[in-house]
Amino acid sequence: MIAQDIIIRPIITEKGMQDIVSKKYVFEVAKSATKIDVKRAIEALFKVKVQKVTTVHVRGQLRRQGRNEGYTRSWKKAYVQLTADSKPIEFFEGMM
């Protein structure tokens, strides 16, 4: 897999934006990606140094519309902590 296939999109939420000050970022990643894959992809795409990666599997939620029901898709989330001497990711700087 190449880096663009591993990192799907950044997660932009209030809770996620609070951690940007401490250089912690949240991304949606490919379900098959490992922590090592995510670390290499972030370092390649944004030219930063990653200290730690934590991943979470997000289960799909049950949703109803009338009498029909189904589940939303399940996905994988990665919390990425950069090293103290690393520069911040430029994409997130304009959002604070």
Side-chain angles (χ1 to χ4, degrees), residues 29-87:
V29 297
K31 288 174 87 171
S32 61
T34 63
K35 292 180 181 185
I36 296 168
D37 293 338
V38 172
K39 179 179 178 178
R40 288 180 184 156
I42 293 291
E43 288 177 347
L45 286 175
F46 300 109
K47 310 284 190 287
V48 294
K49 291 192 176 196
V50 175
Q51 176 182 357
K52 180 179 170 183
V53 175
T54 307
T55 58
V56 178
H57 285 278
V58 180
R59 294 189 334 192
Q61 295 180 342
L62 180 65
R63 295 287 184 212
R64 291 188 43 181
Q65 188 156 9
R67 65 181 181 180
N68 300 323
E69 62 182 26
Y71 284 89
T72 60
R73 67 183 184 89
S74 59
W75 51 287
K76 192 172 191 178
K77 185 190 309 189
Y79 294 93
V80 177
Q81 175 70 48
L82 303 183
T83 58
D85 60 338
S86 177
K87 65 180 178 84

Side-chain angles (χ1 to χ4, degrees), residues 15-25 51 80-84 86 88 96:
K15 187 176 179 182
M17 291 292 118
Q18 290 175 352
D19 292 335
I20 288 181
V21 177
S22 60
K23 294 186 180 179
K24 185 180 268 191
Y25 301 95
Q51 176 182 357
V80 177
Q81 175 70 48
L82 303 183
T83 58
S86 177
M96 290 180 54

